[in-house]
Amino acid sequence: MQTDHNYIAEFDIAVIGAGHAGCEAALAAARLGLKTALFTISLDAVANMPCNPSIGGTAKGHLVREIDALGGEMAKAADATFLQSRILNRGKGPAVHSLRVQSDRVKYHAYMKSVVEHTEGLYLKQDEITDILTDEGKICGVRSKLGSQYRAKAVIIAGGTYLRGKVFVGDVNYESGPDSTLPANFLSDSIRELGIGLRRFKTGTPCRVHRRSIDFDKLERQDGDEDIVPFSFETKGKLENTISCYVGYTNAETHRVIGENIHRSAMYSGQIEGVGPRYCPSIEDKIRRFADKPRHQLFIEPMGLDTEECYVQGMSSSLPEEVQLAFMRTIKGLEHVEIMRNAYAIEYDCCDPTDLLPTLEFKSVPNLYGAGQFNGTSGYEEAAAQGLVAGINAALKLKGREPMLLDRASSYIGTLIDDLVTKGCSDPYRMMTSRSEYRLLLRQDNADIRLTPVGHKIGLISDERFERLNEKVKLIGQEIDRVKQVNIAPSEELNVYLAECGTEPLTTGTKLAQLIRRPQLSYEGLAPFDKGRGDLPRDVREQAELNIKYEGYIAIQEQQVRAMRKLERRALPPDTDYSQIKGLRLEAAEKLNKIKPLSVGQASRISGVNPADVNVLLIWLSAYGHKEDEE
Amino acid sequence: MQAVCAVATALGEGAVAVVRISGEDALKVASEVFVPYSGIAVGDMKGYTCAYGKVVDGGERIDDAVLTVFRAPHSYTGEDVAEISCHGGVYITKRVLRLCCENGARPAERGEFTRTAFVNGKLDLAQAESVMELISAQGELTLRSANLTRTGELSDRIGKVRARLTSLLGELAAWADYPDEDLPEVGGDNMTATVDECLAAAEKLIKGYDNGMMFRNGIPAVIVGKPNVGKSTLMNLLLGYERAIVTDIAGTTRDLLEETVRLGDVTLRLTDTAGLRETEDAVERIGVELARKKLGESALIIAVFDGSTAPDDEDKLLIEEVKSCGGRVIALINKTDISEGNGYAELLGGMAYVIGISAKTGKGREELEAAAAELFGGLDPDEGMIFVNERQRFCLGRAVESLERARDGILTGMSPDVVTIDITEAAAALAEITGDRITDDIVNEVFSRFCVGK
């Protein structure tokens, strides 16, 4: 789009969309000293949760902790506005422990809006962006629906489900953003004009119901943890749960009502062209695909302390409202339920993330970035993680610094981004622990050790916080060394304890570390037999124990990481024309030309690139003098 | 960096085969598997020097060979290189290769030596480019042969084991990633059973491969018996030419002689031994010890008795010894041309195959062939063909190791997330055989099988 250069304001970076991705992107950019604009269609929808009022969960909880470790905001906002907190998967092992909170939706929005408003160099503005402006092919700003032009050297698109958003309820459909906001109907064309392809994805949300219409006696109560672990490594002090959630079940009658009306669902009448997420099926989907299941679970989750609205997790639907009411009322405990907001499906435009570099910058349009649902993901946490990465990288680029590239072994964030830009996604992408091959290393409990040094180097983590981390790491190391040295002699008292725990008695002395390695025993449980133990903070004790207990497995995973990183360090020039490389198979060359991997490691993960192709790439690299960094 | 190894000569029957080990640790690996007779330490050998010695597997001699050492950068690859020139033949060559893998090397990937050579400046660009084309062509060829080999049977069989593991991993993933859903709990007996079954299946594949290779390259067999019962004559009969020194003086055969012989449809790698008698002669005693050892590792034992003399205590001891070996045994009562019986038939009553033979005239050979066919005819010679190469066996071996770790983890009470890592590793090793990756498999499995999500 041609521009007349009349700007009403000038910024370094413009972020389009103030959801979970946009807020993190704008905060990171501004905190790194870039003058940043954050545009939203509605100031009342900043960091809104248009679906479940909850942050974290399996793998998503890991993302939130990693965001915190890098210097992002989501964890702090979640700690400040939570209603109930739980660690999921206790008993399944440390790699899959995940933190999740129920959040006060309105307070979360208010908290994040306030942080944005109080951040120096960050300008929050209600305005619908309709055009991305370029000058001789270079990004130079954005234009709003009102015709105002804003100058910007880099633009981050974090449009969520707003882009040509369309809501479906039965045979009714209308243009809309999430939670009855205005859709962004113009930006898509401008993105396409830049040569970026868009596609349609869809997602859905269940109804919200009035608390007074629920018979809680007929539902199972679910409480939070007694001893709450905060999301942020910086949050201190005791946290308290203020609400309970409730569990209910669908039944044969529910399924009958849905079955008889399934042809009226927007999903089944063929009106929706978008691809929906597999992990988040509507209730009509669940009943059709898993016909043999006699019941499905649902959760009643309060939306906040100052509202009677409750979210009904598990019951997402695009059936007509009267059908929604009918099937909801078949559920025990919901016989008289009042729906306050109906369930709906929403369809929106998003990009193909394989058009992005691992920095989340578009390969074909320098200084244009994508983040969040716009990139084909789903979930607040996935969005925030990408927002943070896009914000950081846009800022680093404008400052002329090296980009932040997180590899798969560094974090779930790195895994998420590598999956997106290397493999792409054919339905909205959700983070799962099973997507990480290094999950014993990428625990939620050590996110700070893994990533806070990176955050400090970038400039989002203060020297004081970095020093605190170094002190912690030092203490952990000292305690591990001590535990490996300490001898434990057999004694009657100890052997009685060992028998109680169901493990063999000691006949000769052994190192404390050997005992801690036994699955039946714990660091804390052995305290009475470890007289020399100092008074250490809980997180130090926890890290020492995990590192000793899983030492063998950690060593195996670290070896896998070293092997992976060797190929990761062999950089491939971004301007490579793979069709010119002799010996590469045609399919491999095509894929490589599309993905333009940054390293041989990334290339090796592209489907259609086989080990022989990788060898050819390595030879080619050496041949043309692109010397790798050897260890 | 881990050393890599490969058979550098064409794999097949030949006088000599060369197993090449390249990399920083090449000489370390070589020193684990090769002992020079001169007593020099492999690590002290200079570049461009050779040593005659034995290839050993944990102290046991497998073959006599020559080790050639090349010091970086003066080698084909530019790295330290050790080349073991062993006796040709698929079986022995692969065994030496496997031994190297068990001692710290890994099988080279296609074109890896050449790639290393190029990276180290040993080849020029034109050479490198032709190598790139070659690698690429080989890649296609291997892929095609992997698919074609016994109409994809390898993929099928591996695929079945992989599918079970993927299914289990899917359950574990759904269970870990959707803690709030009412999914059946995974772990305990169900998990142990799957791991055990997959382990058994993978081990069976390896065994099938080894059996197949054994069948194609010869079944390890040994001839035992008291001195002078006619073992060497028997050997010569089977070989069709004079090989062992045959004299009337008991104890003349001191060295172990291995020959490949055909017995009907069965190929044997037959070793003739000195007798098993107690002896004062130091040299002969070595022969006796070697023979004992050979008994333990042979798939077929041919025990020879002298039918012209009455059984004595030594014969009885031999029968006990042979029975305790656990291998398949054929008892031959020799010298039927001189005398029948003398009570051996009663003594050998418990044995499945007792055959009267005359090694001198060849009478009884047909019965021997029939017995061998009965014993080994059931082995499928094609089993060995379902693997394209040793790399695939290596992957399968890795899968077995991971599954064993998983099983131990379950038994000792490790948490499911950790056990999952081992199972994932096993599935990944299996996937590598057919050139696939697994993480997407598991995620797909979760969504297709479980009703999960908000």
Side-chain angles (χ1 to χ4, degrees):
Chain A
M1 163 112 0
Q2 282 307 306
T3 156
D4 49 14
H5 301 285
N6 286 322
Y7 299 110
I8 69 166
E10 303 210 348
F11 300 100
D12 294 313
I13 295 174
V15 180
I16 306 170
H20 304 283
C23 285
E24 292 290 355
L27 284 170
R31 284 167 176 168
L32 289 174
L34 283 294
K35 192 178 174 193
T36 304
L38 177 57
F39 294 100
T40 173
I41 279 183
S42 168
L43 280 176
D44 299 323
V46 172
N48 182 34
M49 299 185 185
C51 201
N52 52 331
S54 152
I55 299 282
T58 46
K60 292 161 173 276
H62 290 66
L63 288 173
V64 180
R65 294 214 120 202
E66 290 178 355
I67 289 167
D68 183 67
L70 283 171
E73 196 62 33
M74 182 173 245
K76 288 176 179 147
D79 286 342
T81 61
F82 84 100
L83 302 172
Q84 185 200 70
S85 171
R86 283 204 297 148
I87 286 207
L88 309 174
N89 282 335
R90 281 187 197 278
K92 295 181 192 172
V96 295
H97 286 174
S98 293
L99 193 56
R100 185 177 69 197
V101 297
Q102 295 304 132
S103 294
D104 188 314
R105 169 177 165 271
V106 171
K107 288 210 172 87
Y108 188 95
H109 147 77
Y111 173 98
M112 196 60 97
K113 182 162 174 261
S114 169
V115 170
V116 167
E117 286 166 348
H118 287 94
T119 298
E120 202 188 321
L122 178 50
Y123 300 83
L124 179 63
K125 182 86 202 287
Q126 177 169 301
D127 216 346
E128 180 187 334
I129 299 303
T130 54
D131 294 280
I132 292 164
L133 307 176
T134 54
D135 188 8
E136 288 173 2
K138 286 172 92 174
I139 294 287
C140 67
V142 294
R143 175 164 38 227
S144 78
K145 201 174 178 178
L146 302 176
S148 308
Q149 299 196 138
Y150 302 89
R151 189 180 172 80
K153 297 171 195 148
V155 171
I156 300 171
I157 307 171
T161 60
Y162 282 74
L163 295 189
R164 287 180 59 231
K166 197 171 181 184
V167 163
F168 294 80
V169 184
D171 54 7
V172 178
N173 62 69
Y174 51 91
E175 292 175 352
S176 173
D179 257 346
S180 295
T181 48
L182 292 172
N185 280 337
F186 305 98
L187 186 60
S188 294
D189 285 343
S190 171
I191 294 170
R192 280 206 186 86
E193 272 174 36
L194 295 171
I196 294 164
L198 294 176
R199 51 190 181 158
R200 295 293 271 176
F201 270 9
K202 78 113 207 168
T203 186
T205 193
C207 59
R208 316 296 192 270
V209 300
H210 199 296
R211 188 196 305 269
R212 71 181 168 210
S213 67
I214 303 168
D215 188 348
F216 288 103
D217 292 342
K218 294 183 180 170
L219 301 168
E220 297 163 18
R221 200 171 86 184
Q222 194 176 53
D223 287 326
D225 290 344
E226 293 264 318
D227 191 9
I228 294 175
V229 180
F231 264 123
S232 172
F233 290 96
E234 293 289 276
T235 302
K236 307 291 173 207
K238 185 150 175 65
L239 303 176
E240 301 274 3
N241 295 311
T242 48
I243 57 123
S244 298
C245 293
Y246 292 83
V247 183
Y249 298 94
T250 62
N251 54 48
E253 183 60 10
T254 321
H255 299 186
R256 188 191 61 79
V257 173
I258 293 169
E260 280 175 5
N261 289 284
I262 204 147
H263 60 283
R264 301 176 68 191
S265 161
M267 286 304 301
Y268 288 92
S269 58
Q271 296 174 59
I272 296 183
E273 49 176 304
V275 188
R278 289 173 298 173
Y279 56 84
C280 185
S282 62
I283 187 67
E284 48 265 34
D285 248 344
K286 292 190 203 175
I287 283 163
R288 216 176 79 141
R289 286 184 49 215
F290 301 95
D292 53 334
K293 267 197 103 171
R295 64 175 198 180
H296 294 274
Q297 243 179 340
L298 58 100
F299 296 83
I300 308 285
E301 303 172 356
M303 300 278 285
L305 288 181
D306 306 320
T307 174
E308 297 302 298
E309 267 189 274
C310 293
Y311 176 90
V312 190
Q313 190 202 311
M315 299 299 282
S316 149
S317 175
S318 63
L319 283 161
E321 188 171 26
E322 46 158 333
V323 181
Q324 293 183 20
L325 196 57
F327 74 67
M328 289 293 287
R329 286 185 171 172
T330 62
I331 292 163
K332 219 171 109 189
L334 302 180
E335 291 87 348
H336 308 290
V337 80
E338 291 169 43
I339 291 180
M340 295 178 71
R341 297 185 204 222
N342 59 276
Y344 63 87
I346 184 167
E347 198 183 59
Y348 53 95
D349 285 347
C350 60
C351 77
D352 176 350
T354 59
D355 289 340
L356 299 165
L357 293 165
T359 55
L360 299 184
E361 185 178 11
F362 277 96
K363 290 165 197 164
S364 61
V365 186
N367 290 14
L368 181 65
Y369 295 77
Q373 246 160 325
F374 173 71
N375 286 355
T377 61
S378 157
Y380 313 143
E381 304 80 359
E382 288 86 344
Q386 293 169 70
L388 182 63
V389 170
I392 286 172
N393 279 319
L396 292 175
K397 185 169 182 192
L398 293 188
K399 293 174 112 179
R401 290 174 56 190
E402 287 291 302
M404 175 182 78
L405 297 173
L406 298 172
D407 72 22
R408 298 182 73 85
S410 74
S411 55
Y412 274 83
I413 299 179
T415 308
L416 163 75
I417 287 171
D418 184 63
D419 277 349
L420 286 177
V421 305
T422 308
K423 297 179 195 160
C425 56
S426 52
D427 68 328
Y429 179 102
R430 179 209 201 265
M431 199 67 230
M432 298 167 72
T433 58
S434 39
R435 294 197 195 265
S436 167
E437 53 276 60
Y438 310 114
R439 52 189 171 276
L440 194 59
L441 302 178
L442 308 187
R443 303 184 310 273
Q444 53 97 32
D445 57 75
N446 67 3
D448 57 341
I449 299 172
R450 292 185 279 119
L451 295 175
T452 294
V454 178
H456 179 254
K457 193 174 153 208
I458 289 164
L460 286 177
I461 297 287
S462 67
D463 292 342
E464 298 76 46
R465 183 169 170 184
F466 184 53
E467 268 317 302
R468 280 198 297 279
L469 173 78
N470 288 338
E471 183 61 20
K472 174 178 162 181
V473 171
K474 199 177 94 194
L475 286 175
I476 294 166
Q478 285 169 351
E479 182 60 359
I480 292 172
D481 289 345
R482 188 190 71 83
V483 166
K484 285 183 172 174
Q485 297 295 323
V486 168
N487 284 305
I488 300 287
S491 69
E492 202 184 321
E493 198 191 351
L494 175 65
N495 281 342
V496 167
Y497 175 74
L498 294 179
E500 274 171 17
C501 296
T503 177
E504 300 99 69
L506 279 190
T507 50
T508 59
T510 187
K511 301 288 183 202
L512 177 58
Q514 283 302 111
L515 285 179
I516 291 175
R517 281 193 192 106
R518 296 191 185 179
Q520 298 83 0
L521 302 176
S522 70
Y523 175 88
E524 299 299 337
L526 289 164
F529 310 101
D530 179 20
K531 308 293 183 206
R533 186 175 292 187
D535 185 19
L536 293 165
R538 176 161 100 174
D539 51 354
V540 171
R541 286 177 279 146
E542 183 187 50
Q543 289 306 309
E545 170 165 28
L546 289 172
N547 277 298
I548 289 164
K549 229 178 179 27
Y550 297 97
E551 192 174 33
Y553 288 92
I554 289 172
I556 291 173
Q557 293 236 295
E558 280 174 345
Q559 198 182 343
Q560 293 165 348
V561 170
R562 277 194 297 277
M564 182 274 288
R565 286 202 168 137
K566 242 183 70 186
L567 287 182
E568 223 62 27
R569 273 197 301 274
R570 310 214 171 173
L572 287 163
D575 54 351
T576 306
D577 178 359
Y578 292 93
S579 61
Q580 296 302 309
I581 298 182
K582 265 191 182 176
L584 269 185
R585 291 166 319 115
L586 196 62
E587 186 200 356
E590 276 174 7
K591 291 280 172 61
L592 288 163
N593 272 334
K594 159 106 182 79
I595 303 291
K596 298 263 180 214
L598 294 188
S599 67
V600 177
Q602 193 192 347
S604 72
R605 290 189 295 274
I606 299 170
S607 76
V609 174
N610 71 26
D613 300 318
V614 172
N615 272 343
V616 170
L617 283 180
L618 286 170
I619 293 184
W620 175 82
L621 263 185
S622 315
Y624 293 93
H626 304 291
K627 272 290 175 194
E628 73 274 6
D629 275 333
E630 271 293 32
E631 250 178 309
Chain B
M1 247 187 80
Q2 198 177 10
V4 298
C5 60
V7 180
T9 44
L11 205 54
E13 296 297 329
V16 173
V18 175
V19 173
R20 177 186 283 154
I21 315 164
S22 177
E24 222 170 275
D25 285 341
L27 295 185
K28 194 161 152 272
V29 174
S31 68
E32 295 289 332
V33 304
F34 185 87
V35 181
Y37 287 130
S38 67
I40 187 175
V42 170
D44 293 341
M45 288 171 65
K46 290 193 170 64
Y48 296 136
T49 63
C50 302
Y52 175 54
K54 57 187 175 181
V55 179
V56 289
D57 182 358
E60 178 208 350
R61 187 184 72 107
I62 293 175
D63 192 17
D64 279 343
V66 172
L67 178 77
T68 314
V69 168
F70 303 85
R71 292 287 188 171
H74 305 293
S75 73
Y76 176 67
T77 59
E79 303 174 319
D80 279 356
V81 166
E83 289 185 353
I84 300 172
S85 307
C86 56
H87 287 102
V90 181
Y91 180 84
I92 195 78
T93 317
K94 289 210 164 179
R95 185 143 179 221
V96 173
L97 182 66
R98 194 175 307 155
L99 202 58
C100 294
C101 292
E102 286 162 5
N103 284 282
R106 65 171 171 79
E109 307 199 356
R110 269 187 308 280
E112 190 165 1
F113 285 139
T114 310
R115 189 184 88 208
T116 313
F118 176 77
V119 171
N120 290 326
K122 290 284 174 176
L123 298 173
D124 66 23
L125 185 59
Q127 284 170 311
E129 287 199 330
S130 61
V131 169
M132 276 148 74
E133 278 171 3
L134 194 66
I135 292 170
S136 163
Q138 280 173 347
E140 290 285 352
L141 200 67
T142 313
L143 211 61
R144 214 163 36 235
S145 67
N147 292 331
L148 283 179
T149 312
R150 290 194 66 194
T151 55
E153 195 171 336
L154 172 69
S155 303
D156 281 359
R157 292 204 206 173
I158 301 273
K160 275 183 197 141
V161 181
R162 228 180 101 189
R164 292 230 35 193
L165 290 178
T166 308
S167 165
L168 175 62
L169 286 168
E171 285 166 30
L172 284 162
W175 185 61
D177 277 318
Y178 293 91
D180 275 344
E181 303 285 339
D182 52 346
L183 298 171
E185 182 154 331
V186 199
D189 294 345
N190 168 36
M191 189 151 91
T192 318
T194 306
V195 168
D196 279 346
E197 279 165 39
C198 290
L199 191 54
E203 279 171 340
K204 197 176 156 209
L205 275 170
I206 290 187
K207 192 152 187 285
Y209 168 77
D210 290 347
N211 276 343
M213 290 308 289
M214 178 171 89
F215 191 91
R216 290 202 300 151
N217 301 309
I219 290 155
V222 63
I223 300 181
V224 291
K226 283 191 303 188
N228 220 24
V229 295
K231 300 188 297 294
S232 301
T233 320
L234 177 68
M235 189 85 174
N236 291 342
L237 166 76
L238 299 177
L239 273 172
Y241 65 88
E242 294 240 334
R243 164 68 205 269
I245 314 154
V246 187
T247 67
D248 287 337
I249 307 159
T252 4
T253 311
R254 285 181 186 140
D255 295 326
L256 298 187
L257 305 170
E258 185 181 293
E259 286 291 351
T260 302
V261 304
R262 293 290 293 179
L263 202 53
D265 290 334
V266 180
T267 305
L268 301 181
R269 284 187 299 110
L270 188 59
T271 308
D272 185 10
T273 64
L276 286 176
R277 73 169 188 185
E278 299 307 317
T279 173
E280 293 302 311
D281 183 317
V283 177
E284 200 183 336
R285 202 162 60 223
I286 293 170
V288 170
E289 271 161 25
L290 280 174
R292 280 230 167 74
K293 200 151 189 296
K294 206 75 197 171
L295 273 185
E297 60 194 34
S298 294
L300 172 66
I301 297 167
I302 300 177
V304 187
F305 302 93
D306 184 351
S308 65
T309 62
D312 58 14
D313 287 351
E314 213 176 326
D315 286 311
K316 287 174 192 160
L317 275 174
L318 176 68
I319 291 165
E320 288 312 308
E321 191 145 4
V322 160
K323 277 182 178 168
S324 69
C325 282
R328 291 175 253 212
V329 182
I330 298 175
L332 293 182
I333 303 171
N334 193 19
K335 306 192 185 174
T336 51
D337 52 316
I338 302 172
S339 161
E340 291 283 342
N342 274 327
Y344 282 97
E346 294 75 29
L347 202 62
L348 297 165
M351 289 191 168
Y353 298 96
V354 180
I355 298 163
I357 195 170
S358 168
K360 214 172 201 171
T361 66
K363 190 169 163 284
R365 182 182 170 134
E366 278 168 26
E367 285 94 326
L368 176 59
E369 285 177 2
E374 237 179 275
L375 278 170
F376 294 98
L379 278 186
D380 182 355
D382 287 350
E383 281 285 323
M385 291 297 287
I386 74 161
F387 285 95
V388 176
N389 56 36
E390 191 74 0
R391 180 190 72 85
Q392 296 173 330
R393 191 194 185 278
F394 182 76
C395 290
L396 205 56
R398 258 177 49 208
V400 167
E401 270 177 38
S402 301
L403 286 170
E404 281 170 347
R405 258 204 322 272
R407 192 186 51 194
D408 294 348
I410 297 169
L411 291 178
T412 53
M414 292 307 287
S415 51
D417 58 340
V418 168
V419 177
T420 305
I421 288 170
D422 287 327
I423 299 176
T424 310
E425 188 59 14
L430 293 181
E432 218 175 280
I433 295 177
T434 40
D436 300 320
R437 279 180 275 269
I438 56 150
T439 46
D440 295 340
D441 284 13
I442 298 165
V443 171
N444 291 337
E445 181 80 8
V446 171
F447 294 131
S448 62
R449 281 182 53 210
F450 301 101
C451 181
V452 288
K454 58 190 176 188

